[in-house]
Amino acid sequence: KRVVLPYEQRAELAKNAVAKQLFNIMATKKTNLCLSVDLTSTTQILDLLEKVGEHICLVKTHADIIEDFSNDFTTRMKQLSNRFNFLILEDRKYADIGHIVSLQYLKGVHRISQWADCVTAHSLPGEGILKALFASGDNHGVFLLAEMSSEGNLITPEYKLSTVTMASKYPELITGYVCQNKDTFTDPGLIQLTPGVQLESSRDDFGQVYNTPEKVIIENGGDVIVVGRGIVAAKSPETQAVLYKDTLWKCYTKRISG
Ligand code: S5P
């Protein structure tokens, strides 16, 4: 079963270069924390990454919410990612025809392909979206949305199954799935990225549902855990990042020791 194999062994089984790298980073730094740095100013983002970079394996961005986005910002973020050894995931959630997605990935003000190690995409438009992303770069990766954390989302079990079947044709491209449950896929070389996590179960005012680290990692098979407001909205994000890192890692070690 994939969930009980340690990350260093799963790195060997990964067919996507980014998945292999991410498994190795987690094993080396002993952290499976992905910080969702959902802030709107580049200084805020860079300051926070400077403080928490050593505690994370991955940073997840939403480039389109940043008010002063620039090439200089992505250059600096890349420098931090090299200094602290974490990867960058742009959570663009592509959902258009392949031709447009390719342009959205390569062009526009954000030029995502130039700085993001991996991106998120919906399977909704069909295989063309994967074909286009595959053709638009190398040494990059895609986390495909197979489930969502928000209540009332329209993803069905059939949609999830077809998503995984579709992705299986692009093993070199797929880093893993954004999902909530371990039954979503079986390949141990792929990564389960799980958002909707806080230390206490709760929800926000717009349908987001939060589960605890124990639930998402031990019960539900989460490999890389996405935390946004649990850290960025805390009084001391740095202290909170350490707390999340330790809690999440403890759950992972408990899971692999059976
Ligand atoms: O199902 C999902 C998928 C994603 S990628 N639910 C999510 O919440 N996300 C993202 O995770 C969302 O876009 C946001 O950036 C982050 C959750 O942030 P938080 O502040 O609620 O922890």
Side-chain angles (χ1 to χ4, degrees), residues 36 38 60 62 91 93 148-149 178 195 208 210 226 228-229:
S36 186
D38 300 330
K60 189 174 80 56
H62 281 292
D91 190 7
K93 295 193 182 71
M148 289 199 73
S149 61
V178 180
Q208 173 71 301
Y210 293 112
V226 177
R229 285 164 288 177

Side-chain angles (χ1 to χ4, degrees), residues 36-106:
S36 186
V37 69
D38 300 330
L39 298 165
T40 55
S41 109
T42 59
T43 359
Q44 281 179 323
I45 295 173
L46 296 170
D47 285 352
L48 184 55
L49 288 178
E50 187 86 44
K51 288 186 194 136
V52 306
E54 64 180 289
H55 306 299
I56 64 177
C57 61
L58 182 68
V59 64
K60 189 174 80 56
T61 55
H62 281 292
D64 58 358
I65 68 171
I66 300 172
E67 295 185 292
D68 57 340
F69 183 90
S70 67
N71 286 337
D72 179 58
F73 161 69
T74 54
T75 304
R76 281 160 189 260
M77 185 163 60
K78 266 261 160 287
Q79 285 166 351
L80 290 168
S81 90
N82 289 328
R83 165 140 68 99
F84 291 113
N85 193 25
F86 61 76
L87 299 182
I88 304 172
L89 167 63
E90 163 56 26
D91 190 7
R92 177 61 183 73
K93 295 193 182 71
Y94 294 109
D96 211 325
I97 59 167
H99 173 66
I100 295 304
V101 166
S102 172
L103 293 172
Q104 289 172 323
Y105 179 61
L106 298 168

Side-chain angles (χ1 to χ4, degrees), residues 10-54:
R10 291 171 65 187
E12 302 299 315
L13 304 169
K15 295 172 202 87
N16 168 253
V18 178
K20 187 185 275 295
Q21 232 183 320
L22 192 48
F23 276 131
N24 282 327
I25 290 174
M26 290 195 280
T28 308
K29 290 178 72 178
K30 298 198 187 314
T31 176
N32 52 1
L33 171 61
C34 165
L35 176 66
S36 186
V37 69
D38 300 330
L39 298 165
T40 55
S41 109
T42 59
T43 359
Q44 281 179 323
I45 295 173
L46 296 170
D47 285 352
L48 184 55
L49 288 178
E50 187 86 44
K51 288 186 194 136
V52 306
E54 64 180 289

